[in-house]
Amino acid sequence: MTDLTTTHLKHLLDRATPGPWETIEAYPDGTPRSDMSRQIRSADGEYLGIMYELDVRLAALAPQLAQEVINLRDALGYLMDCLLYTSPSPRD
């Protein structure tokens, strides 16, 4: 199984090619691709590869999705802390 701990996600994001990543639907000369392949490029235009159209769209969003998971986990932890520290103490 893939390691999706918050620590591992942060580690991956720290070492990933900076985003946002872009999907390219045409050949370098501007001709539209006739198949379902798409290029993926980094924010600074670095070529990252060619993938199937739906896969490349998901891959392009991966850094944002990982950051969203981290943000949601942080928010959930904050809410849990608030509930623990503001809940009434049990009565005898």
Side-chain angles (χ1 to χ4, degrees):
M1 177 171 212
T2 303
D3 182 0
L4 292 177
T5 63
T6 301
T7 300
H8 188 67
L9 289 174
K10 287 179 180 179
H11 177 80
L12 289 172
L13 283 176
D14 287 344
R15 286 153 183 79
T17 301
W21 299 346
E22 180 183 13
T23 61
I24 310 294
E25 299 183 6
Y27 291 102
D29 67 1
T31 305
R33 291 181 174 273
S34 59
D35 57 12
M36 297 297 287
S37 67
R38 301 292 183 258
Q39 279 189 24
I40 187 167
R41 293 192 175 269
S42 68
D44 64 1
E46 177 187 356
Y47 173 79
L48 299 175
I50 293 178
M51 300 172 75
Y52 174 68
E53 178 183 15
L54 298 177
D55 294 338
V56 78
R57 290 179 190 206
L58 181 59
L61 293 172
Q64 292 167 283
L65 292 170
Q67 187 61 55
E68 184 65 18
V69 169
I70 293 167
N71 294 345
L72 290 171
R73 287 178 180 174
D74 287 346
L76 182 59
Y78 173 78
L79 291 173
M80 295 289 287
D81 287 345
C82 287
L83 287 173
L84 289 174
Y85 293 115
T86 60
S87 62
S89 58
R91 298 181 188 184
D92 291 290

